[in-house]
Amino acid sequence: MMSVDKRNGILRRTAGSKPRRTLRSVFIGRPLQTADAEHQTIGKAVGLAVFASDALSSTAYATQEILVILAAAIGMASFGYIFPISIAIVVLLSIVTVSYEQTIHAYPGGGGAYIVARDNFGELPAQVAGAALLTDYILTVAVSVSAGVAQLSSAFPALSDYRAIIAVGMVGLIMLINLRGVKESGTIFAIPTYFFVFTMFLTVGVGLVRTLTGSLGTVIDPPHFEAPEIIQPITLFLILHAFSSGTAALTGIEAISNGITAFKEPRSRNAGLTLIVMAVILSSLFLGISFLASQIQAAPSEAETVISQLARTAYDGRNFLYYAVIAATTVILIMAANTAFADFPRLSALQAGDGFLPRQMSYRGSRLVYSHGIEALAVIASILILVFNASVTALIPLYAIGVFLSFTLSQGGMARRWWKIGHLTPGQTKVERGSTLRADPKWRSKMIVNGFGAVCTAIVMMVFAVTKFRDGAWLVLIIIPVLVMIFSRIHVHYRTVAQHLSLEHFDAPLRITRHRVIVPISSVHRGALAALRYARSLSEDVTAVHVAIDPADGEKAQQKWVTWGDGTRLVILDSPYRLLLEPLLAYIEEIDAQRQPNEALTVVVPQFVPRHDIENTLHMRTANILREALLHRPGIIITDVPYQIE
Amino acid sequence: MMSVDKRNGILRRTAGSKPRRTLRSVFIGRPLQTADAEHQTIGKAVGLAVFASDALSSTAYATQEILVILAAAIGMASFGYIFPISIAIVVLLSIVTVSYEQTIHAYPGGGGAYIVARDNFGELPAQVAGAALLTDYILTVAVSVSAGVAQLSSAFPALSDYRAIIAVGMVGLIMLINLRGVKESGTIFAIPTYFFVFTMFLTVGVGLVRTLTGSLGTVIDPPHFEAPEIIQPITLFLILHAFSSGTAALTGIEAISNGITAFKEPRSRNAGLTLIVMAVILSSLFLGISFLASQIQAAPSEAETVISQLARTAYDGRNFLYYAVIAATTVILIMAANTAFADFPRLSALQAGDGFLPRQMSYRGSRLVYSHGIEALAVIASILILVFNASVTALIPLYAIGVFLSFTLSQGGMARRWWKIGHLTPGQTKVERGSTLRADPKWRSKMIVNGFGAVCTAIVMMVFAVTKFRDGAWLVLIIIPVLVMIFSRIHVHYRTVAQHLSLEHFDAPLRITRHRVIVPISSVHRGALAALRYARSLSEDVTAVHVAIDPADGEKAQQKWVTWGDGTRLVILDSPYRLLLEPLLAYIEEIDAQRQPNEALTVVVPQFVPRHDIENTLHMRTANILREALLHRPGIIITDVPYQIE
């Protein structure tokens, strides 16, 4: 492409430079052109693998979470409650799914809780949703990789001491794969996801068939479980507590709505179908596992998971199929991190685009992914893993509040949207904050679905916050407001900058017609003379300044100047306290005070450039220090005249 | 002071700026003027405290070192050899002292092994001596502080886990005190040094008197010592080994000769007298302790030091006087580090002045001390302490080889000097490499003293290297050559730079008569227009360049340019790979290729300056990245036009 606009002197052309092959490109693949973006989208099958691993992995522990709460209070009577509670959770899951399916069609440009909250509630709720989700993605990576490594180290106890390091290594690996781009990482991760789905359906299927034929007994040799001495009465709080613990099954359900832009066209349709398929798989696996868990009377235990008890009961012992289930579960737990790697960068790019995060996060790297976001997620999650020494028990209470906060905001936002749509006349279309509102006769029922979902998830969130407050949930309740504060500070900064740079009401200042030039010199040498030569080409009004730390230096400079100064003014400033920068700055300010509006004051700094950067450590780098100091003084121009030593 | 040289346009005046009071000045005291330097010198009494702590502290372990070697081979028979070996060591000590006393008068400007080797052997041996001494000073700090902390933590076992941190904290404290200046640190450290000298003399005195009166028995309840099963025959190697271990008493003796410049005038006389007083105290304490150790039949043991056994035998138990001795010993061990803090910065400043270390090390800080050297010593010693976890056993084998290497070079150099003086005619004076050779009738005997000393210290060094090779001495034998290599690389760098900057045979290039100007702009805003305004004041030939990462950015820039470009050329470069810097550099190179010798190519960069530096993290800092990239291209001038946001 090449265009010329002669009248305004504008030439436009495509730059020839292609990225060099670096070590980086060996790991993450050859750079892609911006125009390649559409080829980097994924279909439904790969989309399920990329965005479902987080949600599906929760079937590995959701039933157990319910059982833990119930069994501690009412012992064996628990088994009667598991299935009903699971059905309630699946109902909630359906509501949330329907809500997100509607969201996907309303926001084809990608819109999780952040966008829905932004468009329907405004800035602050959107930033709260953003903070909640970002925190949760980070925790997803830390928790799921730690959980996977914990499984690994219970199989190989020798690895136990190196848990944190192994976990960080895995985060690094997932990061590298994600830097290659969502298409390739999807392909890499599709196999284990489908393997998990297949083995779990097989296990549940075998279990159900054996239940029908009456050949499925209870768990043989179950892990030790300490039954409560006093069976407590069943209360609403207990049911709610068990319910909210079980809603861990919902975590990850929002992933697809955040990542719509990763899908091939028609985006909304593909993403929506993928969401429904995911919800169906998730619900049936979860219900099946919960049903079978009560059938086999699985014991809640730290020593053996419910999945393990179920698998060895269904397969009559620890055989090949049993180990396949355990392996698949381990892998899906680690891979849940991948979903966060798909969503965190997209969300942070959205927030950066709105000016609430550093703008760099919205730039796409050589593989068209938001590399800064991917790297930031990997770094923060790794720090978290190292600080908590990869302990799942310590990390898990921090988890889930964020998810349910974002669910509530997202569904509340959708309810509000339906309410606004209800006020349109039939057939009317209205554009508000960039999203299109289109009249819909079913707005009332849809609003009720979303509103009910919002209330349910809000209750779950509050139960979470109360029951897990002391275990670490308080930390999240501090982190989210702090993040929101940081986001708004960033926003204020960008807004101020934009105002200051804006050309509205801008009066061009006077033309510069006179130059005054100051040349600071450390001694009289070729580099200084090169700067002097340039300075003299700018103006007749040139003053060289030498700060003499040692009086003898001053003498030397004075003598050499007679030969080499060529009549230019030299000011020697003796510095009794051996200060270098301060006398120079004071002198520059003295001159600057006399400056006229049509006059420019340029400080021409001789900058000595060694061959290798490391050699800079052998020098004072005065040029850099001086530049940093002068940058903050309005109206002073700093010119570097480099002098290369080769 | 103010002077004007009207004919050559040179004005000289004293800069008014005084250093601001910073947090730093609260800790290290108000800044001092260069002219104050002479008031910062110290007398003999303080000088002894500053420079003797290292040497005197060695009396705390030297006798024990001899005993350890002997007792392992010949058991109880050892006691017969301690005193004769100690006398031999004192003879060596006297020779070394005389040698250094002569050095002090020959080199009143300060001259340890480094200067003597440089003036009499040349560059390479001088750098070897420098490397050996610097290594040894670092080890002195690490070993002596660790030894002091070990004493402390044997008294308070709870501190044991925090040994390394406590040691690093102490190094930091000693650093701070030294940054205040040698005069104040001397005053602070004088009390414990004299306290140590006093308590030790008291102990030795009481011991000797009780020996004469026959009331001093042997150690009651001595620490467990495993006597050898087979008593080996006494061999020359064994004697040499014990002798060389005992020469630990000599470490630190060179301190004064390196630090002559710290003394009040007449420097040489004051420093020489201090050296002799120090040697006399050291010899008498060492001989006294060795004599009494064999009288009381002290056992060499890790559990209780010889000093402790001596003190409780002399004072009949663990009473107040006993604890005073232990406390004084602990403190003097830690304070031995202070001697290194007095000498390391002086030596590194000397080497930096000769261009073998970064020049910054020869600059004096606000308190007229070589702050960079003091800080470097503290940092490196702290790293060493952390790496070796403050373990004396691990650090001590690295120690002492360096000292004896420098002794050998220094005394060898002095011997060579006498030999040269021997070739002068009576009364003749000759200046060689900056030092004055003056005919001396006694040159022959002086040369024999120095030569004999050099041979003895060389033997000790070799015995050390052989007997302690596997314990860690090998590391020092690697470090010293590596350091010498680094020093000479630094020297080559400075020489190359000096040659390139030299004005000899310098032909001034053509005057600059034409300017071509390139203004890279990220978008059309006030900052960009400020840069454009400046650029247009330099030349008619201005081209603005915009790299469009996103085609839409290009459109926007193009539209705005029509209004604001004021007819200036704009080149828009579309960048399909989203590269920013590479297309810009390629374009600049394209223009640079057409440059004439009388033409300057200036890149005027709009640099956006936020109020707080931290806000820079929210921007790409393209201006800085571009400058770094352009600095290495000869002939391109980089101008920053800062645009402040406030």
Side-chain angles (χ1 to χ4, degrees):
Chain A
M1 185 179 72
M2 170 120 179
S3 74
V4 183
D5 170 358
K6 273 237 169 108
R7 202 166 57 85
N8 295 298
I10 301 175
L11 170 78
R12 184 165 184 173
R13 69 177 201 207
T14 302
S17 21
K18 272 185 196 165
R20 277 173 303 167
R21 281 194 78 79
T22 56
L23 191 63
R24 195 180 162 93
S25 66
V26 174
F27 281 106
I28 68 166
R30 65 172 182 84
L32 298 172
Q33 293 201 23
T34 311
D36 292 334
E38 59 182 291
H39 305 302
Q40 291 298 306
T41 53
I42 53 178
K44 293 186 285 293
V46 173
L48 188 69
V50 171
F51 291 106
S53 46
D54 183 12
L56 295 182
S57 73
S58 54
T59 59
Y61 51 81
T63 304
Q64 184 162 346
E65 296 287 317
I66 303 174
L67 202 51
V68 166
I69 304 296
L70 290 179
I74 56 171
M76 293 294 281
S78 308
F79 298 119
Y81 292 94
I82 296 178
F83 196 60
I85 289 177
S86 298
I87 288 177
I89 290 169
V90 167
V91 171
L92 180 64
L93 172 65
S94 313
I95 294 168
V96 173
T97 303
V98 170
S99 166
Y100 273 112
E101 214 275 336
Q102 289 170 354
T103 313
I104 284 170
H105 286 276
Y107 293 95
Y114 176 71
I115 288 189
V116 177
R118 186 187 65 184
D119 286 2
N120 298 294
F121 288 132
E123 228 165 52
L124 185 67
Q127 296 314 315
V128 172
L133 279 173
L134 291 182
T135 312
D136 227 83
Y137 290 141
I138 295 165
L139 285 165
T140 300
V141 174
V143 169
S144 61
V145 172
S146 297
V149 173
Q151 289 252 24
L152 209 65
S153 73
S154 39
F156 307 98
L159 299 178
S160 185
D161 280 352
Y162 308 102
R163 266 194 351 234
I165 291 300
I166 295 172
V168 168
M170 283 195 174
V171 171
L173 189 69
I174 298 173
M175 176 191 82
L176 269 187
I177 295 173
N178 276 280
L179 284 174
R180 292 191 74 91
V182 73
K183 191 174 183 181
E184 293 195 25
S185 65
T187 317
I188 295 168
F189 289 135
I191 296 162
T193 306
Y194 285 106
F195 179 62
F196 173 76
V197 171
F198 173 76
T199 52
M200 289 310 282
F201 268 116
L202 186 69
T203 310
V204 170
V206 169
L208 291 177
V209 170
R210 291 189 61 183
T211 309
L212 290 177
T213 61
S215 69
L216 187 76
T218 57
V219 184
I220 296 161
D221 190 15
H224 174 74
F225 163 67
E226 195 134 335
E229 283 179 26
I230 304 154
I231 302 295
Q232 292 170 19
I234 190 91
T235 61
L236 180 66
F237 183 80
L238 184 65
I239 296 285
L240 277 179
H241 191 176
F243 173 81
S244 70
S245 281
T247 53
L250 271 72
T251 57
I253 198 88
E254 82 291 356
I256 290 175
S257 63
N258 286 326
I260 304 171
T261 50
F263 283 87
K264 272 197 183 21
E265 290 290 0
R267 278 182 193 173
S268 293
R269 208 182 116 75
N270 283 331
L273 279 173
T274 309
L275 173 65
I276 290 168
V277 171
M278 178 175 89
V280 169
I281 295 174
L282 178 55
S283 308
S284 43
L285 282 183
F286 175 56
L287 280 181
I289 292 166
S290 290
F291 175 75
L292 291 171
S294 53
Q295 288 294 314
I296 62 168
Q297 305 198 347
S301 159
E302 284 278 314
E304 190 184 2
T305 60
V306 167
I307 295 290
S308 169
Q309 294 174 51
L310 172 59
R312 69 183 167 86
T313 309
Y315 298 133
D316 283 331
R318 297 180 192 270
N319 49 26
F320 173 74
L321 285 167
Y322 167 82
Y323 282 110
V325 171
I326 298 301
T329 314
T330 307
V331 172
I332 199 85
L333 279 170
I334 293 177
M335 278 191 26
N338 193 51
T339 303
F341 270 98
D343 274 342
F344 181 100
R346 278 195 177 71
L347 176 57
S348 56
L350 269 175
Q351 286 188 271
D354 289 347
F356 289 92
L357 275 177
R359 199 155 291 162
Q360 295 91 310
M361 307 203 83
S362 69
Y363 298 154
R364 283 178 294 176
S366 66
R367 296 286 293 179
L368 285 165
V369 291
Y370 300 108
S371 332
H372 290 291
I374 292 174
E375 288 156 3
L377 174 60
V379 169
I380 304 171
S382 297
I383 291 171
L384 214 60
I385 288 171
L386 291 174
V387 168
F388 285 88
N389 200 23
S391 156
V392 179
T393 325
L395 284 165
I396 212 138
L398 309 180
Y399 195 47
I401 292 187
V403 179
F404 282 90
L405 180 53
S406 72
F407 281 169
T408 308
L409 286 166
S410 154
Q411 294 180 108
M414 284 305 287
R416 179 125 198 249
R417 190 180 152 91
W418 295 125
W419 186 78
K420 284 190 284 186
I421 285 175
H423 284 71
L424 299 177
T425 51
Q428 191 191 345
T429 304
K430 189 175 159 190
V431 176
E432 218 183 274
R433 299 195 205 180
S435 83
T436 314
L437 303 179
R438 194 172 279 115
D440 186 332
K442 295 186 200 150
W443 67 272
R444 213 177 297 265
S445 62
K446 286 183 174 176
M447 185 177 78
I448 289 167
V449 168
N450 282 141
F452 181 66
V455 171
C456 293
T457 49
I459 290 171
V460 173
M461 178 186 70
M462 282 183 284
V463 175
F464 252 113
V466 170
T467 54
K468 302 201 171 170
F469 187 80
R470 288 215 308 189
D471 300 332
W474 60 271
L475 194 60
V476 176
L477 299 177
I478 292 172
I479 287 174
I480 291 177
V482 168
L483 281 180
V484 171
M485 248 175 55
I486 294 173
F487 294 165
S488 63
R489 289 288 292 274
I490 291 175
H491 194 58
V492 167
H493 168 79
Y494 282 127
R495 238 185 1 219
T496 316
V497 169
Q499 276 164 12
H500 274 85
L501 293 178
S502 160
L503 292 172
E504 269 180 66
H505 316 296
F506 175 62
D507 294 319
L510 281 180
R511 260 178 181 267
I512 297 169
T513 51
R514 253 180 67 80
H515 283 272
R516 297 190 77 162
V517 184
I518 294 174
V519 186
I521 56 171
S522 62
S523 75
V524 183
H525 55 56
R526 291 194 187 196
L529 293 187
L532 194 68
R533 171 175 174 251
Y534 184 78
R536 289 168 57 126
S537 78
L538 297 184
S539 169
E540 295 294 302
D541 188 353
V542 176
T543 312
V545 183
H546 172 74
V547 177
I549 299 288
D550 183 339
D553 284 354
E555 308 298 338
K556 224 162 95 185
Q558 194 162 354
Q559 279 162 24
K560 281 192 175 178
W561 199 254
V562 174
T563 316
W564 295 100
D566 207 6
T568 309
R569 247 195 320 272
L570 171 68
V571 172
I572 298 173
L573 299 169
D574 280 293
S575 177
Y577 289 97
R578 300 169 305 291
L579 298 171
L580 189 61
L581 206 60
E582 291 80 354
L584 204 51
L585 289 176
Y587 182 80
I588 291 169
E589 263 169 23
E590 199 182 309
I591 300 296
D592 189 44
Q594 309 157 9
R595 190 160 52 90
Q596 306 293 319
N598 66 331
E599 221 174 39
L601 177 58
T602 305
V603 180
V604 174
V605 189
Q607 180 158 4
F608 153 83
V609 185
R611 221 173 332 172
H612 309 293
D613 281 348
I614 181 125
E615 294 170 357
N616 273 320
T617 54
L618 299 176
H619 299 272
M620 289 289 279
R621 312 213 70 185
T622 327
N624 289 307
I625 300 166
L626 185 63
R627 184 186 321 107
E628 290 299 323
L630 288 175
L631 276 178
H632 288 276
R633 284 155 220 255
I636 297 180
I637 313 293
I638 308 117
T639 294
D640 287 311
V641 179
Y643 187 80
Q644 293 87 1
I645 306 288
E646 75 257 38
Chain B
M1 185 179 72
M2 170 119 178
S3 73
V4 181
D5 170 359
K6 272 238 170 109
R7 201 166 57 86
N8 295 298
I10 300 174
L11 170 79
R12 184 164 185 174
R13 70 179 200 206
T14 301
S17 21
K18 273 186 195 165
R20 278 172 303 168
R21 281 195 76 80
T22 58
L23 191 64
R24 195 182 161 92
S25 67
V26 173
F27 282 105
I28 67 167
R30 65 171 183 84
L32 298 172
Q33 293 200 22
T34 311
D36 292 333
E38 60 183 291
H39 305 302
Q40 290 298 307
T41 53
I42 53 179
K44 293 186 286 292
V46 172
L48 188 69
V50 171
F51 292 105
S53 46
D54 183 13
L56 294 182
S57 73
S58 55
T59 57
Y61 50 80
T63 305
Q64 185 163 346
E65 296 286 317
I66 303 173
L67 202 52
V68 166
I69 303 297
L70 289 180
I74 56 172
M76 293 293 284
S78 309
F79 298 120
Y81 292 94
I82 297 178
F83 197 60
I85 290 177
S86 298
I87 288 177
I89 290 169
V90 168
V91 170
L92 180 63
L93 172 65
S94 315
I95 293 168
V96 173
T97 305
V98 170
S99 166
Y100 272 112
E101 215 276 334
Q102 288 170 354
T103 313
I104 284 169
H105 286 277
Y107 294 95
Y114 176 72
I115 289 190
V116 176
R118 186 187 65 187
D119 287 2
N120 298 294
F121 287 132
E123 229 164 52
L124 185 67
Q127 297 313 315
V128 173
L133 279 172
L134 291 182
T135 312
D136 226 82
Y137 290 140
I138 295 166
L139 285 165
T140 300
V141 174
V143 168
S144 60
V145 172
S146 297
V149 173
Q151 290 252 23
L152 209 64
S153 74
S154 40
F156 307 99
L159 299 178
S160 185
D161 280 350
Y162 308 101
R163 264 191 358 230
I165 292 298
I166 296 172
V168 168
M170 284 195 173
V171 171
L173 189 70
I174 299 174
M175 177 191 80
L176 269 187
I177 295 173
N178 275 280
L179 284 174
R180 291 191 76 91
V182 73
K183 191 173 182 181
E184 293 195 24
S185 66
T187 317
I188 294 168
F189 289 135
I191 296 162
T193 307
Y194 283 107
F195 179 61
F196 173 77
V197 171
F198 173 76
T199 53
M200 289 308 283
F201 268 117
L202 186 69
T203 310
V204 170
V206 168
L208 290 177
V209 169
R210 292 188 61 184
T211 309
L212 290 177
T213 60
S215 69
L216 188 76
T218 56
V219 185
I220 296 162
D221 191 15
H224 174 73
F225 163 68
E226 195 136 333
E229 283 180 25
I230 303 155
I231 303 293
Q232 294 170 16
I234 189 93
T235 59
L236 179 65
F237 184 80
L238 184 66
I239 295 285
L240 276 180
H241 192 177
F243 173 81
S244 70
S245 281
T247 52
L250 270 71
T251 58
I253 197 87
E254 82 292 356
I256 291 175
S257 63
N258 287 326
I260 304 171
T261 50
F263 283 87
K264 273 198 183 22
E265 291 288 1
R267 280 180 191 174
S268 292
R269 209 184 114 77
N270 283 331
L273 279 172
T274 309
L275 174 66
I276 289 167
V277 171
M278 177 175 90
V280 169
I281 295 173
L282 178 56
S283 306
S284 42
L285 282 182
F286 175 56
L287 278 182
I289 291 166
S290 290
F291 175 76
L292 290 171
S294 53
Q295 288 294 316
I296 64 168
Q297 306 199 346
S301 160
E302 283 279 312
E304 191 184 2
T305 59
V306 166
I307 296 288
S308 170
Q309 294 175 53
L310 172 60
R312 69 183 168 86
T313 309
Y315 297 134
D316 282 330
R318 296 179 192 271
N319 49 26
F320 173 75
L321 284 168
Y322 167 82
Y323 284 110
V325 170
I326 298 301
T329 314
T330 306
V331 173
I332 199 86
L333 278 170
I334 293 176
M335 280 191 24
N338 193 51
T339 304
F341 270 97
D343 275 341
F344 180 100
R346 281 197 175 70
L347 176 57
S348 56
L350 269 175
Q351 285 188 272
D354 289 347
F356 289 92
L357 274 177
R359 201 157 288 164
Q360 294 93 309
M361 307 204 84
S362 69
Y363 298 154
R364 283 178 294 177
S366 66
R367 295 288 293 180
L368 286 165
V369 290
Y370 300 108
S371 330
H372 289 291
I374 292 174
E375 288 156 3
L377 175 60
V379 168
I380 303 173
S382 296
I383 292 172
L384 214 60
I385 288 171
L386 291 174
V387 168
F388 286 88
N389 199 24
S391 155
V392 180
T393 324
L395 284 165
I396 212 139
L398 310 180
Y399 195 49
I401 291 188
V403 179
F404 281 90
L405 179 52
S406 71
F407 282 168
T408 307
L409 286 166
S410 155
Q411 294 180 108
M414 284 305 287
R416 179 127 198 248
R417 190 181 151 92
W418 294 126
W419 186 77
K420 283 190 283 185
I421 284 174
H423 285 71
L424 299 176
T425 50
Q428 191 190 346
T429 303
K430 191 175 159 190
V431 177
E432 218 184 271
R433 301 194 203 180
S435 83
T436 313
L437 303 179
R438 194 170 280 111
D440 186 334
K442 294 189 204 150
W443 68 272
R444 212 177 299 263
S445 62
K446 287 182 173 176
M447 184 177 78
I448 288 166
V449 168
N450 281 141
F452 181 66
V455 171
C456 293
T457 50
I459 290 170
V460 172
M461 177 187 70
M462 281 185 284
V463 174
F464 251 113
V466 170
T467 54
K468 302 200 171 171
F469 186 80
R470 289 214 309 188
D471 301 332
W474 60 270
L475 194 60
V476 176
L477 298 177
I478 292 173
I479 288 173
I480 292 178
V482 168
L483 282 180
V484 171
M485 247 174 56
I486 294 174
F487 294 166
S488 63
R489 287 289 290 275
I490 291 174
H491 194 58
V492 167
H493 168 80
Y494 281 127
R495 237 184 4 217
T496 314
V497 169
Q499 276 165 11
H500 274 84
L501 292 178
S502 161
L503 292 172
E504 268 180 69
H505 315 297
F506 174 62
D507 293 320
L510 281 181
R511 258 178 182 270
I512 296 169
T513 52
R514 252 179 69 80
H515 283 274
R516 298 189 75 161
V517 184
I518 294 174
V519 187
I521 56 172
S522 62
S523 75
V524 183
H525 54 55
R526 289 195 189 195
L529 294 186
L532 195 68
R533 171 175 174 251
Y534 184 78
R536 289 168 56 125
S537 78
L538 296 184
S539 168
E540 294 294 304
D541 188 353
V542 176
T543 311
V545 183
H546 171 72
V547 177
I549 298 288
D550 183 339
D553 284 355
E555 308 297 339
K556 223 162 96 184
Q558 195 163 353
Q559 280 162 23
K560 283 193 173 176
W561 200 254
V562 174
T563 316
W564 296 101
D566 207 6
T568 308
R569 244 195 323 270
L570 171 68
V571 173
I572 298 174
L573 300 169
D574 280 295
S575 178
Y577 289 97
R578 299 170 306 289
L579 297 172
L580 190 62
L581 206 61
E582 291 80 353
L584 204 53
L585 290 176
Y587 182 81
I588 292 169
E589 263 169 24
E590 199 181 308
I591 301 296
D592 189 43
Q594 311 156 9
R595 190 161 51 89
Q596 306 291 320
N598 66 332
E599 220 174 39
L601 177 57
T602 305
V603 180
V604 175
V605 189
Q607 181 159 3
F608 154 83
V609 185
R611 219 174 334 171
H612 308 292
D613 282 347
I614 182 127
E615 293 170 356
N616 274 320
T617 53
L618 299 176
H619 299 272
M620 289 290 278
R621 312 212 72 184
T622 328
N624 290 308
I625 301 168
L626 186 63
R627 183 186 322 105
E628 289 300 321
L630 287 175
L631 276 178
H632 287 276
R633 282 154 222 256
I636 296 180
I637 313 294
I638 308 119
T639 294
D640 288 312
V641 179
Y643 187 79
Q644 293 87 0
I645 306 288
E646 78 255 37

